[in-house]
Amino acid sequence: MSRLKSLLRHAVAPALAGGFLLAVPLVSVPSTPAPEKWTPLSPVLVSYDESARGSVAKGRILSFNDFHGALEPPVGSGGLVNGNPAGGVEYLATHVKRLRAAGEANGEKVITAGAGDMIGATPLISAAFHDEPSIEALSQLGLQVTSVGNHEFDEGVTELKRMQRGGCHPTDGCQDGDGFEGADFRYLSANVVDKQTRLPILPPVDIRIVQGVPVGFVGMTLKGTPSIVNPAGIQTVDFLDEIQTANSYAELLRWLGIKSLVLLIHEGGAQNPPPTPQDPSSCANFAGPITDIVAGLRPEYGLVVSGHTHRFYSCALPNSSGANSVVTSAGSNGTLITDIGFTLDRRTKKFTSIAARNVIVENGVRLPDGSWARDAAGNFIRNPDLVDPDAKVLVDKYRTAVAPIANRVVGRITSDITRATTAAGESALGDVIADAQLAYTRSVGAQIALMNPGGIRADLSFAFSPGGEAPGEVTYGEGFTVQPFNNLVVTQTFTGAQLKEVLEQQFVGFAGQTVQRILQISAGFAVSYDSTRAAGDRITAMSLDGTPIDPAASYRVTSNDFLANGGDGFTRLTAGADRVTAPGFDIDALVAHLGAGAPVAPGPQNRITKVG
């Protein structure tokens, strides 16, 4: 083993620098019995080599992804798994520790891993302290290794390195008064390289020894990260192809005798109906970018822990050899943990079997009839018996610190306003945010506002009262959870023809767009589209206050600066003229709208029409 450690340390340094931690032998934790033969509607089980029975090492990985600073239970759909209340780090820690303890009771050491977006797009309780609370909470619950995700770059490369290594914020200092030591876990970024040195900005791999058999973890984010983060913070790095990067490290690690690999990757897919709803541990009608990535991977990658899409699944997908790799995702916000058991052939050092299931991080009080207890206002009652005491101490510290800001009432709503979309892709909350930004910029001539759906991070709940406020009252903290990015609000001039091209860029295949994203639009603006028509010709009608948009006329259009700078692939929005930046941030526009007068109702969801 010492010879292996020496090889790893010297043969590939500095590319693999600092990425190794040895683990004691692992034994599988008994869990829900796996089926004899896997089907897409059951927890995944893949067997590779039955001949190795009797000469195997056993291990287990507990994984999750897209935590997004969920120190407190998420509100609305983000805190539900098929109707079951779930999530929040106080409850995640309990479930992780219980699963880990079950292994330790059998003499095991369990590996806890992640697939990116542990921080970024976080509620105010974490964001107000530059996500130091989330790093501390994840370290405390025993996370050991995770890939970076796109949101790890929200505040730039330098800030990500501070998250790993520690130190006070260069501008705001250590706001909680007790310093910041950085993450106890290791971030991996195999495909994010410095433009000058061409080396990864953080370690690319982490090696764990399982009963004498080395297992390699390679971590990366999606290659498309530059299109979905603020470009200012990533000017010094390149994001490389996922398949080529993964396979290059597989080749290198194989040369070192490491033949069982786990890919931690912040890219994913989704189950699709039927059935509805999908089981968290199934793989019904699965599709997404991760399918093509897995298809290009070397067979050493027996396990792919994925993320980014905020969906749950456990799948068996073919890799480049035609054999299956197990592919998992645990939704988001700490609502699920993927429990992955595996065996290794001691002689060949290869995976012999992998099984995975998703475990719901329940946080409610279940009634005898199987339903969940609620208070008089309709909120789920949280189960105090499921709260991890160590996590509670940490979260309470930051709850108290942020309360004066977070609990300030800023407005009122008439009922729940959610991110749920129509068949055309329009949400009630998207309507409200677009209206807020239009109202915020009317003084500079704004006529239309556009909002990216990915920037809407949570629902607004009528009944939820985090600070004890009356039902229907909205706090600053609730508003910030909806829009946590502190984007600027900008207004630009476009011709009608240019505006049509912006809207055509909602669809895959036009001007480099790779993902369909339906922009939310403000009152008075109406758009129709036909998804069956050719790329670049899908917008069939546009009107403003009932008058068709004139291709030659000029219109003042508001958006956040992320979109205006080409984010989410909307490069046509960079072509605007006479840009004006409003004071404050996008959250200020929302707060002003919510508090402008009468309680705000859900948007009508009648502005966007899909005709085919």
Side-chain angles (χ1 to χ4, degrees), residues 351-428:
F351 285 116
T352 57
S353 68
I354 303 175
R357 65 185 179 114
N358 277 321
V359 179
I360 299 176
V361 179
E362 295 178 354
N363 61 25
V365 175
R366 192 180 289 275
L367 299 174
D369 64 0
S371 63
W372 296 97
R374 296 175 183 258
D375 63 20
N379 298 299
F380 288 107
I381 296 174
R382 308 301 177 184
N383 190 341
D385 294 335
L386 295 176
V387 172
D388 178 79
D390 294 333
K392 185 178 188 304
V393 170
L394 179 67
V395 175
D396 280 348
K397 167 187 170 181
Y398 289 107
R399 281 192 187 109
T400 300
V402 81
I405 301 172
N407 294 339
R408 178 170 59 90
V409 173
V410 297
R412 296 177 295 163
I413 57 177
T414 64
S415 61
D416 291 349
I417 307 180
T418 77
R419 298 165 292 166
T421 62
T422 65
E426 182 178 358
S427 74

Coordinates of all heavy atoms in Angstrom, one line a residue, residues 351-428:
F351 N -15.0 -3.5 -10.3 CA -16.3 -3.7 -9.7 C -16.9 -5.0 -10.1 O -16.7 -5.5 -11.3 CB -17.2 -2.6 -10.2 CG -17.0 -1.2 -9.6 CD1 -16.6 -0.2 -10.4 CD2 -17.2 -1.0 -8.3 CE1 -16.4 1.1 -9.9 CE2 -17.0 0.2 -7.7 CZ -16.6 1.3 -8.5
T352 N -17.5 -5.7 -9.2 CA -18.3 -6.9 -9.5 C -19.8 -6.7 -9.4 O -20.5 -7.4 -10.1 CB -17.9 -8.1 -8.6 OG1 -18.1 -7.7 -7.2 CG2 -16.4 -8.4 -8.8
S353 N -20.2 -5.8 -8.6 CA -21.6 -5.4 -8.5 C -21.8 -4.0 -7.9 O -21.0 -3.6 -7.1 CB -22.4 -6.5 -7.7 OG -22.1 -6.4 -6.3
I354 N -22.9 -3.4 -8.3 CA -23.2 -2.1 -7.8 C -24.8 -2.0 -7.7 O -25.5 -2.3 -8.6 CB -22.7 -0.9 -8.6 CG1 -21.2 -0.9 -8.8 CG2 -23.1 0.5 -8.0 CD1 -20.7 0.1 -9.8
A355 N -25.3 -1.6 -6.5 CA -26.7 -1.4 -6.3 C -27.0 -0.1 -5.7 O -26.2 0.4 -4.8 CB -27.3 -2.5 -5.4
A356 N -28.1 0.6 -6.0 CA -28.3 1.9 -5.5 C -29.8 2.1 -5.3 O -30.6 1.7 -6.1 CB -27.8 3.0 -6.5
R357 N -30.1 2.9 -4.3 CA -31.5 3.3 -4.0 C -31.5 4.7 -3.4 O -30.5 5.1 -2.8 CB -32.2 2.4 -3.1 CG -31.6 2.4 -1.7 CD -32.2 1.3 -0.8 NE -31.5 1.4 0.6 CZ -32.1 1.8 1.7 NH1 -33.4 2.1 1.7 NH2 -31.4 1.8 2.8
N358 N -32.5 5.5 -3.6 CA -32.7 6.8 -3.0 C -33.5 6.7 -1.7 O -34.6 6.1 -1.7 CB -33.3 7.8 -4.0 CG -32.2 8.4 -5.0 OD1 -31.1 8.6 -4.6 ND2 -32.6 8.5 -6.2
V359 N -33.0 7.3 -0.7 CA -33.6 7.3 0.6 C -34.2 8.7 0.9 O -33.4 9.7 0.8 CB -32.7 6.9 1.7 CG1 -33.3 7.0 3.1 CG2 -32.1 5.5 1.5
I360 N -35.4 8.9 1.2 CA -36.0 10.2 1.4 C -35.6 10.7 2.8 O -35.7 10.0 3.8 CB -37.6 10.2 1.4 CG1 -38.0 9.7 0.0 CG2 -38.2 11.5 1.7 CD1 -39.5 9.5 -0.2
V361 N -35.1 12.0 2.8 CA -34.7 12.6 4.1 C -36.0 13.2 4.7 O -36.2 14.5 4.6 CB -33.6 13.7 3.8 CG1 -33.2 14.4 5.1 CG2 -32.4 13.0 3.2
E362 N -36.8 12.4 5.3 CA -38.1 12.9 5.8 C -37.8 13.8 7.0 O -36.9 13.6 7.8 CB -38.9 11.7 6.3 CG -39.3 10.8 5.1 CD -40.1 9.6 5.6 OE1 -40.2 9.4 6.8 OE2 -40.6 8.8 4.7
N363 N -38.6 14.8 7.1 CA -38.5 15.8 8.2 C -39.8 16.1 8.9 O -39.9 17.0 9.7 CB -37.8 17.1 7.7 CG -38.7 17.8 6.7 OD1 -39.9 17.7 6.6 ND2 -38.0 18.6 5.9
G364 N -40.9 15.4 8.5 CA -42.2 15.6 9.0 C -42.7 14.7 10.1 O -41.9 13.7 10.5
V365 N -43.9 14.9 10.6 CA -44.5 14.0 11.6 C -45.6 13.2 10.8 O -46.6 13.8 10.4 CB -45.1 14.8 12.7 CG1 -45.8 13.9 13.7 CG2 -44.0 15.6 13.4
R366 N -45.4 11.9 10.7 CA -46.3 11.0 10.0 C -47.5 10.6 10.9 O -47.3 10.2 12.1 CB -45.7 9.8 9.4 CG -46.5 9.1 8.4 CD -45.8 7.8 7.9 NE -44.7 8.1 7.0 CZ -44.9 8.4 5.7 NH1 -46.1 8.4 5.2 NH2 -43.8 8.6 5.0
L367 N -48.7 10.8 10.4 CA -49.9 10.4 11.2 C -50.2 9.0 11.0 O -49.7 8.3 10.0 CB -51.1 11.3 10.7 CG -50.9 12.8 10.9 CD1 -52.0 13.6 10.3 CD2 -50.8 13.1 12.4
P368 N -51.1 8.4 11.8 CA -51.4 7.0 11.7 C -52.0 6.6 10.3 O -51.8 5.4 9.9 CB -52.5 6.8 12.8 CG -52.1 7.8 13.8 CD -51.7 9.0 13.1
D369 N -52.7 7.5 9.7 CA -53.2 7.2 8.3 C -52.2 7.3 7.2 O -52.5 7.1 6.0 CB -54.4 8.0 8.0 CG -54.1 9.5 7.9 OD1 -52.9 9.9 8.1 OD2 -55.0 10.3 7.7
G370 N -50.9 7.6 7.6 CA -49.9 7.7 6.6 C -49.7 9.1 6.0 O -48.7 9.3 5.3
S371 N -50.6 10.0 6.3 CA -50.4 11.4 5.9 C -49.4 12.2 6.8 O -49.0 11.6 7.8 CB -51.8 12.1 5.8 OG -52.3 12.2 7.1
W372 N -49.2 13.4 6.5 CA -48.2 14.2 7.3 C -49.0 15.3 8.1 O -49.9 16.0 7.6 CB -47.2 14.8 6.4 CG -46.4 13.8 5.7 CD1 -46.6 13.3 4.4 CD2 -45.2 13.1 6.2 NE1 -45.6 12.4 4.1 CE2 -44.8 12.2 5.2 CE3 -44.6 13.2 7.4 CZ2 -43.7 11.4 5.4 CZ3 -43.5 12.3 7.6 CH2 -43.1 11.5 6.6
A373 N -48.6 15.5 9.3 CA -49.2 16.5 10.2 C -48.9 17.9 9.7 O -47.8 18.2 9.2 CB -48.7 16.3 11.6
R374 N -49.9 18.8 9.8 CA -49.8 20.2 9.4 C -50.3 21.1 10.5 O -51.2 20.6 11.3 CB -50.5 20.5 8.1 CG -50.0 19.7 6.9 CD -50.9 20.0 5.7 NE -50.5 19.3 4.5 CZ -49.9 19.8 3.5 NH1 -49.6 21.1 3.5 NH2 -49.6 19.1 2.4
D375 N -49.9 22.3 10.6 CA -50.4 23.2 11.5 C -51.7 23.9 11.0 O -52.1 23.5 9.9 CB -49.4 24.3 11.9 CG -48.9 25.2 10.8 OD1 -49.6 25.2 9.7 OD2 -47.8 25.8 10.9
A376 N -52.2 24.8 11.8 CA -53.5 25.4 11.4 C -53.4 26.1 10.1 O -54.4 26.3 9.3 CB -54.0 26.3 12.5
A377 N -52.3 26.6 9.7 CA -52.1 27.4 8.5 C -51.8 26.5 7.3 O -51.7 27.0 6.2 CB -51.0 28.4 8.6
G378 N -51.6 25.2 7.5 CA -51.3 24.3 6.5 C -49.9 23.9 6.3 O -49.5 23.2 5.3
N379 N -49.0 24.5 7.1 CA -47.6 24.1 7.0 C -47.3 22.8 7.6 O -47.9 22.4 8.6 CB -46.7 25.2 7.7 CG -46.9 26.6 7.2 OD1 -46.6 26.8 6.0 ND2 -47.4 27.5 8.0
F380 N -46.3 22.1 7.0 CA -45.9 20.8 7.6 C -45.3 21.0 9.0 O -44.5 21.9 9.2 CB -44.9 20.1 6.7 CG -45.5 19.5 5.4 CD1 -45.2 20.2 4.2 CD2 -46.3 18.4 5.4 CE1 -45.8 19.7 3.0 CE2 -46.8 17.9 4.3 CZ -46.6 18.5 3.1
I381 N -45.6 20.1 9.9 CA -45.0 20.2 11.2 C -43.7 19.4 11.2 O -43.7 18.2 10.7 CB -46.0 19.6 12.3 CG1 -47.2 20.5 12.4 CG2 -45.2 19.5 13.6 CD1 -48.3 19.9 13.4
R382 N -42.6 20.0 11.6 CA -41.3 19.3 11.5 C -41.2 18.4 12.7 O -41.6 18.7 13.8 CB -40.2 20.3 11.4 CG -40.3 21.3 10.3 CD -40.4 20.7 8.9 NE -40.6 21.7 7.9 CZ -40.8 21.5 6.6 NH1 -40.9 20.2 6.2 NH2 -41.0 22.5 5.7
N383 N -40.5 17.3 12.5 CA -40.3 16.3 13.6 C -39.0 16.6 14.4 O -37.9 16.4 13.9 CB -40.2 14.9 12.9 CG -40.3 13.8 14.0 OD1 -40.0 14.0 15.2 ND2 -40.6 12.6 13.5
P384 N -39.2 17.0 15.6 CA -38.0 17.3 16.4 C -37.1 16.1 16.7 O -35.9 16.3 16.9 CB -38.6 17.9 17.7 CG -40.0 17.3 17.8 CD -40.4 17.2 16.4
D385 N -37.7 14.9 16.6 CA -36.9 13.7 16.9 C -35.9 13.4 15.7 O -35.0 12.6 15.9 CB -37.8 12.5 17.1 CG -38.6 12.6 18.3 OD1 -38.2 13.3 19.3 OD2 -39.7 12.0 18.4
L386 N -36.1 14.1 14.6 CA -35.2 13.9 13.4 C -34.2 15.0 13.3 O -33.5 15.0 12.3 CB -36.1 13.8 12.1 CG -37.0 12.6 12.1 CD1 -37.9 12.6 10.8 CD2 -36.2 11.2 12.1
V387 N -34.1 15.9 14.2 CA -33.2 17.0 14.1 C -31.8 16.5 14.7 O -31.8 16.0 15.9 CB -33.7 18.2 14.9 CG1 -32.6 19.3 15.0 CG2 -34.9 18.8 14.2
D388 N -30.8 16.7 13.9 CA -29.4 16.4 14.5 C -29.0 17.6 15.4 O -29.0 18.7 15.0 CB -28.5 16.3 13.3 CG -27.0 16.0 13.8 OD1 -26.7 14.9 14.1 OD2 -26.3 17.0 13.8
P389 N -28.6 17.3 16.6 CA -28.3 18.3 17.6 C -27.1 19.2 17.2 O -27.1 20.4 17.4 CB -28.1 17.6 18.9 CG -27.8 16.2 18.5 CD -28.6 15.9 17.3
D390 N -26.1 18.6 16.6 CA -24.9 19.4 16.2 C -25.3 20.3 15.1 O -24.9 21.5 15.1 CB -23.8 18.4 15.8 CG -23.3 17.6 16.9 OD1 -23.4 18.1 18.1 OD2 -22.8 16.5 16.7
A391 N -26.0 19.8 14.1 CA -26.5 20.7 13.0 C -27.4 21.8 13.5 O -27.3 22.9 13.0 CB -27.2 19.8 11.9
K392 N -28.2 21.5 14.5 CA -29.1 22.5 15.0 C -28.4 23.7 15.6 O -28.7 24.8 15.4 CB -30.1 21.9 16.0 CG -31.2 22.9 16.5 CD -32.1 22.3 17.4 CE -33.3 23.2 17.8 NZ -32.8 24.5 18.3
V393 N -27.3 23.3 16.4 CA -26.5 24.4 17.0 C -25.9 25.3 15.9 O -26.0 26.5 16.1 CB -25.4 23.8 17.9 CG1 -24.4 24.8 18.3 CG2 -26.0 23.1 19.1
L394 N -25.4 24.7 14.9 CA -24.8 25.5 13.8 C -25.8 26.4 13.1 O -25.7 27.6 12.9 CB -24.1 24.6 12.8 CG -23.4 25.3 11.6 CD1 -22.3 26.1 12.1 CD2 -23.0 24.2 10.6
V395 N -27.0 25.8 12.7 CA -28.0 26.5 12.0 C -28.6 27.6 12.9 O -28.9 28.7 12.4 CB -29.1 25.5 11.5 CG1 -30.2 26.3 10.8 CG2 -28.4 24.5 10.5
D396 N -28.9 27.3 14.1 CA -29.4 28.3 15.1 C -28.5 29.5 15.2 O -29.0 30.7 15.3 CB -29.6 27.7 16.4 CG -30.9 26.9 16.5 OD1 -31.7 26.9 15.6 OD2 -31.1 26.2 17.6
K397 N -27.2 29.3 15.1 CA -26.3 30.4 15.2 C -26.5 31.4 14.0 O -26.6 32.6 14.2 CB -24.8 29.8 15.1 CG -23.8 30.9 14.9 CD -22.4 30.2 14.6 CE -21.4 31.2 14.1 NZ -20.1 30.6 13.9
Y398 N -26.7 30.8 12.8 CA -26.9 31.7 11.7 C -28.3 32.2 11.5 O -28.5 33.3 11.0 CB -26.4 31.0 10.4 CG -24.9 30.8 10.4 CD1 -24.2 29.6 10.6 CD2 -24.1 31.9 10.2 CE1 -22.9 29.5 10.6 CE2 -22.7 31.8 10.2 CZ -22.1 30.6 10.4 OH -20.7 30.5 10.4
R399 N -29.3 31.4 12.0 CA -30.6 31.9 12.1 C -30.7 33.2 12.9 O -31.3 34.2 12.5 CB -31.6 30.9 12.7 CG -32.0 29.7 11.8 CD -33.1 29.0 12.5 NE -33.5 27.8 11.8 CZ -33.2 26.5 12.2 NH1 -32.6 26.3 13.3 NH2 -33.6 25.5 11.4
T400 N -30.1 33.1 14.0 CA -30.1 34.3 14.9 C -29.4 35.5 14.3 O -29.9 36.6 14.4 CB -29.4 33.9 16.3 OG1 -30.1 32.9 16.9 CG2 -29.4 35.1 17.2
A401 N -28.2 35.2 13.7 CA -27.5 36.3 13.1 C -28.2 37.0 11.9 O -28.1 38.2 11.8 CB -26.1 35.8 12.6
V402 N -28.9 36.2 11.1 CA -29.5 36.8 9.9 C -31.0 37.3 10.2 O -31.6 37.9 9.3 CB -29.5 35.8 8.8 CG1 -30.6 34.7 8.9 CG2 -29.5 36.5 7.4
A403 N -31.6 36.9 11.3 CA -33.0 37.2 11.6 C -33.4 38.6 11.4 O -34.5 38.9 10.8 CB -33.4 36.7 13.0
P404 N -32.7 39.6 11.8 CA -33.2 41.0 11.7 C -33.4 41.4 10.2 O -34.3 42.2 9.9 CB -32.0 41.8 12.3 CG -31.4 40.9 13.3 CD -31.4 39.6 12.7
I405 N -32.6 40.8 9.3 CA -32.8 41.1 7.9 C -33.8 40.2 7.3 O -34.7 40.6 6.6 CB -31.4 40.9 7.2 CG1 -30.4 41.9 7.7 CG2 -31.6 41.2 5.7 CD1 -29.0 41.7 7.2
A406 N -33.6 38.9 7.6 CA -34.5 37.9 6.9 C -35.9 38.0 7.3 O -36.8 37.7 6.4 CB -33.9 36.5 7.3
N407 N -36.2 38.3 8.5 CA -37.6 38.3 9.0 C -38.4 39.6 8.8 O -39.5 39.8 9.2 CB -37.7 37.9 10.5 CG -37.2 36.5 10.7 OD1 -37.2 35.7 9.8 ND2 -36.8 36.2 11.9
R408 N -37.7 40.6 8.1 CA -38.4 41.9 7.8 C -39.5 41.6 6.8 O -39.2 41.1 5.7 CB -37.4 42.9 7.4 CG -38.0 44.2 7.0 CD -36.9 45.3 6.7 NE -36.0 44.9 5.7 CZ -36.2 45.2 4.4 NH1 -37.3 45.9 4.0 NH2 -35.3 44.8 3.5
V409 N -40.7 42.0 7.1 CA -41.8 41.8 6.2 C -41.8 42.9 5.1 O -41.6 44.1 5.4 CB -43.2 41.9 6.9 CG1 -44.4 41.9 5.9 CG2 -43.4 40.8 7.9
V410 N -41.8 42.5 3.8 CA -41.6 43.4 2.7 C -42.8 43.5 1.8 O -42.9 44.4 1.0 CB -40.4 43.0 1.9 CG1 -39.1 43.1 2.7 CG2 -40.5 41.6 1.3
G411 N -43.8 42.6 2.0 CA -45.0 42.7 1.1 C -46.0 41.6 1.4 O -45.8 40.8 2.4
R412 N -47.0 41.5 0.6 CA -48.0 40.5 0.8 C -48.4 39.8 -0.5 O -48.3 40.4 -1.6 CB -49.3 41.2 1.4 CG -49.0 41.8 2.8 CD -50.3 42.5 3.3 NE -50.5 43.7 2.5 CZ -51.7 44.3 2.5 NH1 -52.7 43.9 3.2 NH2 -51.9 45.4 1.7
I413 N -48.9 38.6 -0.4 CA -49.4 37.8 -1.5 C -50.8 37.3 -1.2 O -51.2 37.1 0.0 CB -48.5 36.7 -1.9 CG1 -48.2 35.7 -0.8 CG2 -47.2 37.3 -2.5 CD1 -47.4 34.5 -1.1
T414 N -51.6 37.0 -2.2 CA -53.0 36.5 -1.9 C -53.1 35.0 -1.8 O -54.0 34.5 -1.2 CB -53.9 37.0 -3.1 OG1 -53.5 36.3 -4.3 CG2 -53.9 38.5 -3.3
S415 N -52.1 34.3 -2.3 CA -52.1 32.8 -2.3 C -50.7 32.4 -2.7 O -49.8 33.2 -3.0 CB -53.2 32.2 -3.2 OG -52.9 32.6 -4.5
D416 N -50.5 31.1 -2.7 CA -49.2 30.5 -3.1 C -48.9 31.0 -4.5 O -49.8 31.0 -5.4 CB -49.2 29.0 -3.1 CG -49.2 28.4 -1.7 OD1 -49.1 29.1 -0.8 OD2 -49.5 27.2 -1.6
I417 N -47.7 31.4 -4.8 CA -47.2 31.8 -6.1 C -46.0 30.9 -6.5 O -45.0 31.0 -5.8 CB -46.8 33.3 -6.2 CG1 -47.9 34.1 -5.7 CG2 -46.5 33.6 -7.7 CD1 -47.6 35.6 -5.7
T418 N -46.2 30.0 -7.4 CA -45.2 28.9 -7.6 C -44.5 29.0 -9.0 O -44.9 29.7 -9.9 CB -45.9 27.5 -7.5 OG1 -46.7 27.3 -8.7 CG2 -46.9 27.5 -6.3
R419 N -43.5 28.1 -9.1 CA -42.7 28.0 -10.3 C -43.3 27.0 -11.3 O -42.8 26.8 -12.4 CB -41.3 27.6 -10.0 CG -40.5 28.5 -9.1 CD -39.3 27.9 -8.6 NE -39.6 26.8 -7.6 CZ -38.8 25.9 -7.1 NH1 -37.6 25.9 -7.6 NH2 -39.2 25.1 -6.2
A420 N -44.4 26.3 -10.9 CA -45.0 25.3 -11.8 C -45.4 26.0 -13.1 O -46.0 27.0 -13.1 CB -46.2 24.7 -11.1
T421 N -45.1 25.3 -14.2 CA -45.4 25.9 -15.5 C -46.5 25.3 -16.3 O -46.9 24.1 -16.0 CB -44.1 25.8 -16.4 OG1 -43.8 24.4 -16.6 CG2 -42.9 26.5 -15.8
T422 N -47.1 26.0 -17.2 CA -48.1 25.5 -18.1 C -47.4 24.7 -19.2 O -46.1 24.6 -19.2 CB -48.8 26.7 -18.8 OG1 -47.8 27.4 -19.6 CG2 -49.4 27.6 -17.8
A423 N -48.1 24.1 -20.1 CA -47.6 23.4 -21.2 C -46.7 24.3 -22.0 O -45.8 23.8 -22.7 CB -48.7 22.7 -22.0
A424 N -47.0 25.5 -22.0 CA -46.2 26.5 -22.8 C -44.9 27.0 -22.1 O -44.1 27.6 -22.7 CB -47.1 27.7 -23.2
G425 N -44.8 26.6 -20.8 CA -43.6 27.0 -20.1 C -43.7 28.2 -19.3 O -42.6 28.8 -18.8
E426 N -44.9 28.7 -19.0 CA -45.1 29.9 -18.2 C -45.5 29.6 -16.8 O -46.3 28.8 -16.5 CB -46.2 30.8 -18.9 CG -46.4 32.1 -18.2 CD -47.5 32.9 -18.9 OE1 -48.0 32.5 -20.0 OE2 -47.8 34.0 -18.5
S427 N -44.9 30.3 -15.8 CA -45.2 30.1 -14.4 C -45.8 31.4 -13.8 O -45.5 32.5 -14.3 CB -44.0 29.7 -13.6 OG -43.1 30.8 -13.4
A428 N -46.6 31.2 -12.8 CA -47.2 32.3 -12.1 C -46.2 33.2 -11.5 O -46.3 34.4 -11.5 CB -48.2 31.8 -11.1

